[in-house]
Amino acid sequence: PVYWNPSSPLDYPAPILPTVAWAGTGVAFILWWRTPPIRRGSLFLLVAGFGTAVSGIGNFLEDVLDLRFGELLFTYGGMVGAMAVLVAAVLILTVRHPLRWTGLLLVAFVAGSIFPGSGGQFLTGASLVGLGIWLVLYQPRQHRDSHPTHP
């Protein structure tokens, strides 16, 4: 695919997919903040959600609409998001809770985001998919344990 000058219909998703990924990650962090299983670090998940969402908007403005100031939004939103995720990861790792190991997935997300070359984008995607699977698998077990009427 040709990223900057699309020449075929298959080239158009190239700049749009990272936008969707960053904005979707921002929404996911904000939703995770609303019902966090671990309260410590949850404020930083909210900050990370807004930072990555702003980064997604900046990516859309820069890469899809070709507006130069989108680069600033993408860069600063990504930096705020990455730092907030890193602080949340450290705080989550220090809690005695079954979900504390999600902090390692968050550290992998930050590492992949900071170093996108050499497999960093794959690391970011894999850590987010792993985090999503881990949280989905954890939530039913937590919900089932909180209701003693379930067999």
Side-chain angles (χ1 to χ4, degrees), residues 74-145:
F74 175 74
T75 302
Y76 292 136
M79 287 178 12
V80 167
M83 292 303 116
V85 168
L86 190 58
V87 171
V90 170
L91 291 173
I92 288 171
L93 281 169
T94 61
V95 175
R96 294 180 58 81
H97 190 278
L99 276 179
R100 72 174 170 212
W101 301 113
T102 58
L104 292 177
L105 293 170
L106 293 174
V107 169
F109 166 76
V110 172
S113 298
I114 292 174
F115 305 107
S118 305
Q121 291 176 339
F122 175 78
L123 180 62
T124 298
S127 64
L128 288 176
V129 168
L131 179 65
I133 291 170
W134 176 254
L135 292 176
V136 166
L137 291 176
Y138 177 77
Q139 293 298 332
R141 187 171 61 235
Q142 178 190 26
H143 182 68
R144 188 172 48 236
D145 293 343

